Amino acid sequence: MKKQFILFYITLIVAAPICFGQASPSKPDKFAKEAEITDLEKAAWEAFKNKQADAFKKLLSKRYCGVYAEGIKTADAEAADMAKSICATTHWAI
């Protein structure tokens, strides 16, 4: 019985450095994902600003639901209402 404990502890001592010596899995680049999300958001706003309904709709999720005071809008309704909206970049001559 004593030999089994000694053998177990020797195995544990030999195996521990092997376990800790393994390389950790590479972590995805956090900043690359943030930049990609930022680029997609900017593209969505540019499409909205320029009234490009098809490009804007492609950037929305298939399961998109927008909740407004008027009700809930799907991606199709959001793209259709985009043409009716007034962008902040539109300048009105008085």
Coordinates of all heavy atoms in Angstrom, one line a residue:
M1 N 0.8 -1.2 0.0 CA 0.0 0.0 0.0 C 0.9 1.3 0.0 O 0.5 2.2 -0.7 CB -0.9 0.0 1.2 CG -1.9 1.1 1.3 SD -3.2 0.7 0.2 CE -4.4 1.9 0.8
K2 N 1.9 1.2 0.7 CA 2.9 2.3 0.8 C 3.5 2.6 -0.5 O 3.7 3.7 -0.9 CB 3.9 2.1 1.9 CG 4.7 3.3 2.2 CD 5.6 3.0 3.4 CE 6.4 4.2 3.8 NZ 7.3 3.9 4.9
K3 N 3.8 1.5 -1.3 CA 4.4 1.7 -2.6 C 3.5 2.4 -3.6 O 3.9 3.1 -4.4 CB 4.8 0.3 -3.1 CG 6.0 -0.3 -2.5 CD 6.4 -1.6 -3.1 CE 7.5 -2.3 -2.4 NZ 7.9 -3.6 -3.0
Q4 N 2.2 2.1 -3.4 CA 1.2 2.7 -4.3 C 1.1 4.2 -4.1 O 1.0 5.0 -5.0 CB -0.2 2.1 -4.1 CG -0.3 0.7 -4.6 CD -1.6 0.0 -4.3 OE1 -2.3 0.5 -3.5 NE2 -1.9 -1.1 -5.0
F5 N 1.2 4.6 -2.8 CA 1.1 6.1 -2.5 C 2.4 6.8 -3.0 O 2.3 7.9 -3.6 CB 1.0 6.3 -1.0 CG -0.4 6.1 -0.5 CD1 -0.7 5.2 0.5 CD2 -1.4 6.9 -1.0 CE1 -2.0 5.0 0.9 CE2 -2.7 6.8 -0.5 CZ -3.0 5.8 0.5
I6 N 3.5 6.1 -2.8 CA 4.8 6.7 -3.3 C 4.8 6.8 -4.8 O 5.1 7.8 -5.4 CB 6.0 5.9 -2.8 CG1 6.1 6.0 -1.3 CG2 7.3 6.3 -3.5 CD1 7.2 5.0 -0.7
L7 N 4.3 5.8 -5.5 CA 4.2 5.8 -7.0 C 3.2 6.9 -7.4 O 3.5 7.6 -8.4 CB 3.8 4.4 -7.5 CG 3.7 4.3 -9.0 CD1 5.1 4.5 -9.6 CD2 3.3 2.9 -9.3
F8 N 2.1 7.0 -6.7 CA 1.1 8.1 -7.1 C 1.7 9.5 -6.9 O 1.6 10.3 -7.8 CB -0.1 7.9 -6.1 CG -1.1 9.0 -6.3 CD1 -1.9 9.1 -7.4 CD2 -1.2 10.0 -5.3 CE1 -2.8 10.2 -7.5 CE2 -2.0 11.1 -5.4 CZ -2.9 11.1 -6.5
Y9 N 2.4 9.7 -5.8 CA 3.0 11.0 -5.6 C 4.1 11.3 -6.6 O 4.3 12.5 -7.1 CB 3.5 11.2 -4.2 CG 2.4 11.3 -3.2 CD1 2.3 10.4 -2.2 CD2 1.5 12.3 -3.3 CE1 1.3 10.5 -1.2 CE2 0.5 12.5 -2.4 CZ 0.3 11.5 -1.4 OH -0.7 11.7 -0.5
I10 N 4.9 10.4 -7.0 CA 5.9 10.6 -8.0 C 5.3 10.9 -9.4 O 5.7 11.8 -10.1 CB 6.9 9.3 -8.1 CG1 7.7 9.2 -6.8 CG2 7.8 9.4 -9.3 CD1 8.5 7.9 -6.7
T11 N 4.2 10.2 -9.7 CA 3.5 10.4 -10.9 C 2.9 11.8 -10.9 O 3.0 12.5 -11.9 CB 2.4 9.4 -11.2 OG1 3.0 8.1 -11.1 CG2 1.7 9.6 -12.5
L12 N 2.4 12.2 -9.8 CA 1.8 13.6 -9.7 C 2.9 14.6 -9.8 O 2.7 15.6 -10.5 CB 1.1 13.7 -8.3 CG 0.4 15.0 -8.1 CD1 -0.8 15.2 -9.0 CD2 -0.1 15.1 -6.6
I13 N 4.0 14.4 -9.2 CA 5.1 15.4 -9.3 C 5.7 15.5 -10.8 O 6.0 16.6 -11.3 CB 6.2 15.0 -8.3 CG1 5.7 15.3 -6.9 CG2 7.5 15.8 -8.6 CD1 6.7 14.7 -5.8
V14 N 5.7 14.4 -11.5 CA 6.2 14.4 -12.8 C 5.2 15.0 -13.8 O 5.5 15.7 -14.7 CB 6.6 12.9 -13.3 CG1 6.9 12.8 -14.7 CG2 7.8 12.4 -12.5
A15 N 3.9 14.7 -13.6 CA 2.8 15.1 -14.5 C 2.5 16.6 -14.3 O 2.0 17.3 -15.3 CB 1.6 14.3 -14.3
A16 N 2.6 17.2 -13.1 CA 2.2 18.6 -12.9 C 3.0 19.6 -13.8 O 2.3 20.4 -14.4 CB 2.5 18.9 -11.4
P17 N 4.3 19.5 -14.0 CA 4.9 20.5 -14.9 C 4.5 20.3 -16.3 O 4.5 21.3 -17.1 CB 6.4 20.2 -14.7 CG 6.6 19.5 -13.4 CD 5.3 18.7 -13.2
I18 N 4.2 19.1 -16.7 CA 3.7 18.9 -18.1 C 2.4 19.6 -18.3 O 2.1 20.3 -19.3 CB 3.6 17.4 -18.4 CG1 4.9 16.7 -18.3 CG2 2.9 17.2 -19.7 CD1 4.9 15.2 -18.4
C19 N 1.5 19.5 -17.3 CA 0.2 20.2 -17.4 C 0.3 21.7 -17.4 O -0.3 22.4 -18.2 CB -0.7 19.8 -16.2 SG -1.2 18.1 -16.3
F20 N 1.2 22.3 -16.6 CA 1.4 23.7 -16.5 C 2.2 24.2 -17.7 O 2.2 25.4 -18.0 CB 2.0 24.1 -15.2 CG 1.1 24.0 -14.0 CD1 1.4 23.1 -13.0 CD2 -0.1 24.7 -13.9 CE1 0.5 22.9 -11.9 CE2 -0.9 24.6 -12.9 CZ -0.6 23.7 -11.9
G21 N 3.0 23.4 -18.3 CA 3.8 23.8 -19.4 C 3.1 23.9 -20.8 O 3.7 24.4 -21.7
Q22 N 1.9 23.5 -20.8 CA 1.2 23.6 -22.1 C 0.8 25.0 -22.4 O 0.5 25.8 -21.5 CB -0.1 22.7 -22.0 CG 0.1 21.3 -21.9 CD -1.1 20.5 -21.8 OE1 -2.2 21.0 -21.8 NE2 -1.0 19.2 -21.8
A23 N 0.8 25.3 -23.6 CA 0.5 26.7 -24.1 C -1.0 26.9 -23.9 O -1.8 26.1 -24.2 CB 0.9 26.9 -25.5
S24 N -1.3 28.1 -23.5 CA -2.7 28.4 -23.3 C -3.3 28.7 -24.7 O -2.6 29.2 -25.6 CB -2.9 29.7 -22.4 OG -2.3 30.8 -23.0
P25 N -4.6 28.4 -24.9 CA -5.2 28.7 -26.2 C -5.2 30.1 -26.6 O -5.3 31.0 -25.7 CB -6.6 28.2 -26.1 CG -6.9 28.1 -24.6 CD -5.6 27.9 -24.0
S26 N -4.9 30.4 -27.8 CA -4.9 31.9 -28.2 C -6.2 32.5 -28.1 O -7.2 32.0 -28.5 CB -4.4 32.0 -29.7 OG -5.3 31.4 -30.5
K27 N -6.2 33.7 -27.5 CA -7.4 34.4 -27.3 C -7.7 35.3 -28.6 O -6.8 35.8 -29.2 CB -7.3 35.4 -26.1 CG -7.2 34.6 -24.8 CD -7.0 35.5 -23.6 CE -6.8 34.7 -22.4 NZ -6.6 35.6 -21.2
P28 N -9.0 35.4 -29.0 CA -9.3 36.2 -30.1 C -8.9 37.6 -29.9 O -9.0 38.1 -28.7 CB -10.8 36.0 -30.3 CG -11.3 35.5 -29.0 CD -10.2 34.8 -28.4
D29 N -8.6 38.3 -30.9 CA -8.2 39.7 -30.8 C -9.4 40.6 -30.5 O -10.3 40.7 -31.4 CB -7.5 40.2 -32.1 CG -6.9 41.6 -31.9 OD1 -6.8 42.0 -30.8 OD2 -6.5 42.1 -32.9
K30 N -9.5 41.1 -29.3 CA -10.7 41.8 -28.9 C -10.9 43.1 -29.7 O -12.0 43.4 -30.1 CB -10.5 42.2 -27.4 CG -11.7 43.0 -26.8 CD -11.4 43.3 -25.3 CE -12.5 44.2 -24.8 NZ -12.3 44.6 -23.4
F31 N -9.8 43.8 -30.0 CA -9.9 45.0 -30.7 C -10.3 44.8 -32.2 O -10.9 45.7 -32.7 CB -8.6 45.8 -30.6 CG -8.2 46.2 -29.2 CD1 -7.2 45.6 -28.5 CD2 -9.0 47.1 -28.5 CE1 -6.9 45.9 -27.2 CE2 -8.8 47.4 -27.2 CZ -7.7 46.8 -26.5
A32 N -9.9 43.7 -32.7 CA -10.3 43.4 -34.1 C -11.8 43.3 -34.2 O -12.4 43.8 -35.2 CB -9.6 42.2 -34.7
K33 N -12.4 42.6 -33.2 CA -13.8 42.4 -33.2 C -14.5 43.7 -33.0 O -15.6 44.0 -33.6 CB -14.3 41.4 -32.2 CG -13.9 40.0 -32.6 CD -14.4 39.0 -31.6 CE -14.1 37.6 -32.0 NZ -14.7 36.6 -31.2
E34 N -14.0 44.5 -32.1 CA -14.6 45.9 -31.8 C -14.5 46.7 -33.1 O -15.5 47.4 -33.4 CB -13.9 46.5 -30.7 CG -14.2 46.0 -29.3 CD -13.5 46.7 -28.2 OE1 -12.9 47.7 -28.4 OE2 -13.6 46.2 -27.1
A35 N -13.4 46.7 -33.8 CA -13.3 47.5 -35.0 C -14.3 47.0 -36.1 O -14.9 47.8 -36.8 CB -11.9 47.4 -35.6
E36 N -14.5 45.7 -36.2 CA -15.4 45.1 -37.1 C -16.9 45.6 -36.8 O -17.6 46.0 -37.7 CB -15.3 43.6 -37.1 CG -16.2 42.9 -38.2 CD -16.1 41.4 -38.1 OE1 -15.2 40.9 -37.5 OE2 -16.9 40.8 -38.8
I37 N -17.2 45.5 -35.5 CA -18.6 46.0 -35.1 C -18.7 47.4 -35.4 O -19.8 47.9 -35.9 CB -18.8 45.6 -33.7 CG1 -18.9 44.1 -33.5 CG2 -20.1 46.3 -33.1 CD1 -18.9 43.6 -32.1
T38 N -17.7 48.2 -35.1 CA -17.8 49.7 -35.3 C -18.0 50.0 -36.8 O -18.8 50.8 -37.2 CB -16.6 50.4 -34.8 OG1 -16.4 50.1 -33.4 CG2 -16.6 51.9 -35.0
D39 N -17.2 49.2 -37.7 CA -17.4 49.4 -39.1 C -18.8 49.1 -39.6 O -19.3 49.8 -40.5 CB -16.3 48.6 -39.9 CG -14.9 49.1 -39.6 OD1 -14.7 50.3 -39.2 OD2 -13.9 48.3 -39.9
L40 N -19.3 48.0 -39.1 CA -20.7 47.6 -39.5 C -21.7 48.7 -39.1 O -22.6 49.0 -39.8 CB -21.0 46.2 -38.9 CG -20.3 45.1 -39.6 CD1 -20.6 43.8 -38.8 CD2 -20.8 44.9 -41.0
E41 N -21.5 49.2 -37.9 CA -22.4 50.2 -37.4 C -22.4 51.5 -38.2 O -23.4 52.1 -38.6 CB -22.1 50.5 -35.9 CG -23.1 51.5 -35.3 CD -22.9 51.7 -33.8 OE1 -22.0 51.1 -33.2 OE2 -23.6 52.5 -33.2
K42 N -21.1 51.9 -38.6 CA -21.0 53.1 -39.4 C -21.6 52.8 -40.8 O -22.2 53.7 -41.4 CB -19.5 53.4 -39.5 CG -18.9 54.0 -38.3 CD -17.4 54.3 -38.5 CE -16.9 54.9 -37.2 NZ -15.4 55.2 -37.3
A43 N -21.4 51.6 -41.3 CA -22.0 51.3 -42.6 C -23.5 51.4 -42.6 O -24.2 51.8 -43.5 CB -21.6 49.9 -43.1
A44 N -24.1 50.9 -41.5 CA -25.6 51.0 -41.3 C -26.1 52.4 -41.3 O -27.1 52.8 -41.9 CB -26.0 50.2 -40.1
W45 N -25.4 53.3 -40.5 CA -25.8 54.7 -40.4 C -25.6 55.4 -41.8 O -26.4 56.2 -42.1 CB -25.0 55.4 -39.3 CG -25.6 55.1 -38.0 CD1 -25.0 54.4 -37.0 CD2 -26.9 55.5 -37.5 NE1 -25.9 54.3 -35.9 CE2 -27.0 55.0 -36.2 CE3 -27.9 56.2 -38.1 CZ2 -28.2 55.2 -35.4 CZ3 -29.1 56.3 -37.3 CH2 -29.2 55.9 -36.0
E46 N -24.5 55.1 -42.5 CA -24.3 55.7 -43.8 C -25.4 55.2 -44.8 O -25.9 56.0 -45.6 CB -22.9 55.3 -44.4 CG -21.8 56.0 -43.7 CD -21.8 57.5 -44.0 OE1 -22.1 58.0 -45.1 OE2 -21.6 58.3 -43.0
A47 N -25.8 54.0 -44.7 CA -26.9 53.5 -45.6 C -28.2 54.2 -45.2 O -29.0 54.5 -46.1 CB -27.0 52.0 -45.5
F48 N -28.4 54.3 -44.0 CA -29.7 55.0 -43.5 C -29.7 56.5 -43.9 O -30.6 57.0 -44.4 CB -29.8 54.9 -42.0 CG -31.1 55.4 -41.5 CD1 -32.2 54.6 -41.4 CD2 -31.2 56.7 -41.1 CE1 -33.4 55.0 -40.9 CE2 -32.4 57.2 -40.6 CZ -33.5 56.3 -40.5
K49 N -28.5 57.1 -43.8 CA -28.4 58.5 -44.1 C -28.6 58.8 -45.6 O -29.2 59.7 -46.0 CB -27.0 59.1 -43.7 CG -26.8 60.5 -44.0 CD -25.4 61.0 -43.5 CE -24.4 60.5 -44.5 NZ -23.1 61.0 -44.2
N50 N -28.0 57.8 -46.4 CA -28.1 58.0 -47.9 C -29.4 57.3 -48.5 O -29.5 57.2 -49.7 CB -26.9 57.4 -48.5 CG -25.6 58.1 -48.1 OD1 -25.7 59.3 -47.8 ND2 -24.5 57.4 -48.0
K51 N -30.3 56.9 -47.6 CA -31.6 56.3 -48.0 C -31.4 55.1 -48.9 O -32.1 54.9 -49.9 CB -32.4 57.3 -48.7 CG -32.6 58.6 -48.0 CD -33.7 58.5 -47.0 CE -34.0 59.9 -46.4 NZ -34.7 59.8 -45.2
Q52 N -30.4 54.3 -48.6 CA -30.1 53.0 -49.4 C -30.8 51.9 -48.6 O -30.2 51.2 -47.8 CB -28.6 52.8 -49.5 CG -27.9 53.9 -50.2 CD -26.4 53.8 -50.1 OE1 -25.9 53.1 -49.2 NE2 -25.7 54.4 -51.1
A53 N -32.0 51.6 -49.0 CA -32.9 50.7 -48.2 C -32.3 49.3 -48.3 O -32.3 48.5 -47.3 CB -34.3 50.7 -48.7
D54 N -31.8 48.8 -49.5 CA -31.3 47.5 -49.7 C -30.1 47.2 -48.8 O -29.9 46.2 -48.2 CB -31.0 47.2 -51.1 CG -32.3 47.1 -52.0 OD1 -33.4 46.7 -51.4 OD2 -32.3 47.3 -53.2
A55 N -29.1 48.2 -48.9 CA -27.9 48.1 -48.1 C -28.2 48.1 -46.6 O -27.6 47.3 -45.8 CB -26.9 49.2 -48.5
F56 N -29.1 49.0 -46.2 CA -29.5 49.0 -44.8 C -30.1 47.8 -44.3 O -29.8 47.2 -43.2 CB -30.4 50.2 -44.6 CG -30.9 50.4 -43.1 CD1 -29.9 50.9 -42.2 CD2 -32.2 50.2 -42.7 CE1 -30.3 51.0 -40.9 CE2 -32.5 50.4 -41.4 CZ -31.6 50.8 -40.5
K57 N -31.0 47.2 -45.1 CA -31.7 46.0 -44.7 C -30.8 44.8 -44.6 O -30.9 43.9 -43.8 CB -32.8 45.7 -45.8 CG -33.8 44.6 -45.3 CD -34.9 44.4 -46.3 CE -35.7 43.2 -46.0 NZ -36.8 43.0 -47.0
K58 N -29.7 44.8 -45.5 CA -28.7 43.7 -45.4 C -28.0 43.7 -44.1 O -27.5 42.7 -43.6 CB -27.8 43.8 -46.6 CG -28.3 43.3 -47.9 CD -27.3 43.5 -49.0 CE -28.0 43.1 -50.4 NZ -27.0 43.3 -51.5
L59 N -27.8 44.9 -43.5 CA -27.1 45.0 -42.3 C -27.9 44.7 -41.0 O -27.4 44.5 -39.9 CB -26.5 46.4 -42.2 CG -25.4 46.7 -43.2 CD1 -25.0 48.2 -43.2 CD2 -24.1 45.9 -42.9
L60 N -29.2 44.6 -41.2 CA -30.1 44.2 -40.1 C -30.2 42.7 -40.0 O -30.1 42.0 -41.0 CB -31.5 44.8 -40.3 CG -31.6 46.3 -40.3 CD1 -33.0 46.8 -40.6 CD2 -31.1 46.9 -39.0
S61 N -30.5 42.3 -38.8 CA -30.7 40.8 -38.6 C -32.0 40.4 -39.2 O -33.0 41.2 -39.4 CB -30.8 40.6 -37.1 OG -31.2 39.3 -36.8
K62 N -32.1 39.1 -39.6 CA -33.3 38.6 -40.2 C -34.5 38.6 -39.1 O -35.6 38.7 -39.4 CB -33.1 37.1 -40.7 CG -32.2 37.1 -41.8 CD -31.9 35.6 -42.2 CE -30.9 35.6 -43.4 NZ -30.6 34.3 -43.8
R63 N -34.1 38.5 -37.8 CA -35.0 38.5 -36.8 C -35.2 39.9 -36.1 O -35.6 40.0 -35.0 CB -34.6 37.5 -35.7 CG -34.6 36.1 -36.3 CD -34.1 35.1 -35.3 NE -34.6 35.3 -34.0 CZ -34.2 34.7 -32.9 NH1 -33.1 33.9 -33.0 NH2 -34.7 34.9 -31.7
Y64 N -34.8 41.0 -36.8 CA -34.8 42.3 -36.3 C -36.2 42.7 -35.8 O -37.2 42.5 -36.5 CB -34.3 43.3 -37.3 CG -34.4 44.7 -36.9 CD1 -33.5 45.3 -36.1 CD2 -35.5 45.5 -37.3 CE1 -33.6 46.6 -35.7 CE2 -35.6 46.8 -36.9 CZ -34.7 47.4 -36.1 OH -34.8 48.7 -35.8
C65 N -36.3 43.3 -34.7 CA -37.5 44.0 -34.2 C -37.2 45.3 -33.5 O -36.4 45.3 -32.6 CB -38.2 43.1 -33.1 SG -38.9 41.6 -33.7
G66 N -37.7 46.3 -34.1 CA -37.5 47.7 -33.6 C -38.7 48.1 -32.8 O -39.9 48.0 -33.3
V67 N -38.6 48.5 -31.5 CA -39.7 48.9 -30.7 C -39.7 50.4 -30.6 O -38.8 51.0 -30.1 CB -39.6 48.2 -29.3 CG1 -40.8 48.6 -28.4 CG2 -39.5 46.7 -29.4
Y68 N -40.9 50.9 -31.0 CA -41.1 52.4 -31.0 C -42.4 52.7 -30.3 O -43.2 51.8 -30.0 CB -41.1 52.9 -32.4 CG -39.8 52.7 -33.2 CD1 -39.6 51.6 -34.0 CD2 -38.7 53.5 -33.0 CE1 -38.4 51.3 -34.6 CE2 -37.5 53.3 -33.7 CZ -37.4 52.2 -34.5 OH -36.2 52.0 -35.1
A69 N -42.6 54.0 -30.1 CA -43.9 54.4 -29.5 C -45.1 54.1 -30.4 O -46.2 53.8 -30.0 CB -43.9 55.9 -29.3
E70 N -44.8 54.0 -31.7 CA -45.9 53.7 -32.7 C -46.1 52.2 -32.8 O -47.2 51.8 -33.3 CB -45.5 54.1 -34.1 CG -45.2 55.6 -34.2 CD -43.8 56.0 -33.9 OE1 -42.9 55.2 -34.1 OE2 -43.6 57.1 -33.3
G71 N -45.2 51.4 -32.3 CA -45.4 49.9 -32.3 C -44.1 49.2 -32.7 O -43.0 49.8 -32.6
I72 N -44.2 48.0 -33.0 CA -43.0 47.1 -33.3 C -42.8 47.1 -34.8 O -43.8 46.8 -35.5 CB -43.2 45.7 -32.7 CG1 -43.3 45.8 -31.2 CG2 -42.0 44.8 -33.1 CD1 -43.6 44.5 -30.5
K73 N -41.6 47.2 -35.3 CA -41.3 47.2 -36.7 C -40.3 46.0 -37.0 O -39.4 45.8 -36.3 CB -40.6 48.5 -37.2 CG -41.5 49.7 -37.1 CD -40.7 50.9 -37.6 CE -41.5 52.2 -37.4 NZ -40.7 53.3 -37.8
T74 N -40.6 45.4 -38.1 CA -39.7 44.3 -38.6 C -38.6 45.0 -39.5 O -38.7 46.2 -39.7 CB -40.5 43.3 -39.4 OG1 -41.0 43.9 -40.6 CG2 -41.5 42.6 -38.6
A75 N -37.7 44.2 -40.0 CA -36.7 44.8 -40.9 C -37.3 45.4 -42.1 O -36.8 46.4 -42.6 CB -35.7 43.7 -41.2
D76 N -38.3 44.7 -42.7 CA -39.0 45.3 -43.9 C -39.6 46.6 -43.6 O -39.5 47.6 -44.4 CB -40.0 44.3 -44.4 CG -39.4 43.0 -44.9 OD1 -38.2 43.1 -45.4 OD2 -40.0 41.9 -44.8
A77 N -40.3 46.7 -42.5 CA -41.0 47.9 -42.1 C -40.0 49.0 -41.8 O -40.2 50.2 -42.1 CB -41.9 47.7 -40.9
E78 N -38.9 48.7 -41.2 CA -37.9 49.6 -40.8 C -37.2 50.2 -42.1 O -37.0 51.4 -42.2 CB -36.8 49.0 -40.0 CG -35.8 49.9 -39.4 CD -36.4 50.7 -38.2 OE1 -37.0 50.2 -37.4 OE2 -36.1 52.0 -38.2
A79 N -37.0 49.4 -43.1 CA -36.4 49.8 -44.4 C -37.4 50.7 -45.1 O -37.0 51.7 -45.8 CB -36.0 48.6 -45.2
A80 N -38.7 50.3 -45.1 CA -39.7 51.1 -45.7 C -39.9 52.5 -45.1 O -40.1 53.5 -45.8 CB -41.0 50.4 -45.7
D81 N -39.9 52.5 -43.8 CA -40.0 53.8 -43.1 C -38.8 54.7 -43.1 O -38.9 55.9 -42.9 CB -40.3 53.5 -41.6 CG -41.8 53.0 -41.4 OD1 -42.6 53.1 -42.4 OD2 -42.1 52.6 -40.3
M82 N -37.7 54.1 -43.5 CA -36.4 54.9 -43.7 C -36.6 56.0 -44.7 O -36.1 57.1 -44.5 CB -35.3 54.0 -44.1 CG -34.0 54.7 -44.2 SD -32.7 53.6 -44.7 CE -33.3 53.1 -46.3
A83 N -37.3 55.7 -45.8 CA -37.5 56.7 -46.8 C -38.4 57.9 -46.4 O -38.2 59.0 -46.9 CB -38.2 56.0 -48.0
K84 N -39.2 57.6 -45.4 CA -40.1 58.7 -44.8 C -39.4 59.6 -43.8 O -39.8 60.7 -43.5 CB -41.3 58.1 -44.2 CG -42.2 57.3 -45.1 CD -43.3 56.6 -44.3 CE -44.0 55.6 -45.1 NZ -45.0 54.9 -44.3
S85 N -38.3 59.1 -43.3 CA -37.6 59.8 -42.2 C -36.8 61.0 -42.7 O -36.4 61.0 -43.8 CB -36.7 58.9 -41.4 OG -35.6 58.5 -42.1
I86 N -36.6 61.9 -41.8 CA -35.7 63.1 -42.1 C -34.4 62.9 -41.3 O -34.4 62.8 -40.1 CB -36.4 64.4 -41.6 CG1 -37.7 64.6 -42.3 CG2 -35.5 65.6 -41.9 CD1 -38.5 65.7 -41.8
C87 N -33.3 62.8 -42.0 CA -32.0 62.7 -41.4 C -31.5 64.0 -40.8 O -31.9 65.0 -41.2 CB -31.0 62.2 -42.4 SG -30.8 60.5 -42.5
A88 N -30.7 63.8 -39.8 CA -30.1 65.0 -39.1 C -29.2 65.8 -40.1 O -29.0 67.0 -39.9 CB -29.4 64.6 -37.9
T89 N -28.7 65.1 -41.1 CA -27.8 65.8 -42.0 C -28.5 66.6 -43.1 O -27.9 67.3 -43.9 CB -26.9 64.8 -42.7 OG1 -27.7 63.8 -43.4 CG2 -26.0 64.1 -41.7
T90 N -29.9 66.5 -43.2 CA -30.6 67.2 -44.2 C -30.7 68.7 -43.7 O -31.1 69.0 -42.6 CB -32.1 66.6 -44.3 OG1 -31.9 65.3 -44.6 CG2 -32.8 67.3 -45.4
H91 N -30.4 69.6 -44.6 CA -30.5 71.0 -44.3 C -31.7 71.6 -45.0 O -31.9 71.4 -46.2 CB -29.2 71.7 -44.8 CG -28.0 71.2 -44.1 ND1 -27.7 71.5 -42.8 CD2 -27.0 70.4 -44.6 CE1 -26.5 70.9 -42.5 NE2 -26.1 70.2 -43.6
W92 N -32.5 72.3 -44.3 CA -33.7 72.9 -44.8 C -33.5 74.4 -45.0 O -32.9 75.1 -44.2 CB -34.9 72.7 -43.8 CG -35.2 71.3 -43.6 CD1 -34.8 70.5 -42.7 CD2 -36.1 70.6 -44.5 NE1 -35.3 69.2 -42.9 CE2 -36.1 69.2 -44.0 CE3 -36.8 70.8 -45.6 CZ2 -36.9 68.2 -44.5 CZ3 -37.6 69.8 -46.2 CH2 -37.6 68.6 -45.6
A93 N -33.8 74.9 -46.2 CA -33.7 76.3 -46.5 C -35.0 77.0 -46.0 O -36.1 76.6 -46.3 CB -33.5 76.5 -47.9
I94 N -34.8 78.0 -45.2 CA -36.0 78.8 -44.8 C -36.1 80.1 -45.5 O -35.2 80.8 -45.7 CB -35.9 79.0 -43.2 CG1 -35.9 77.7 -42.5 CG2 -37.0 79.8 -42.7 CD1 -35.7 77.7 -41.1

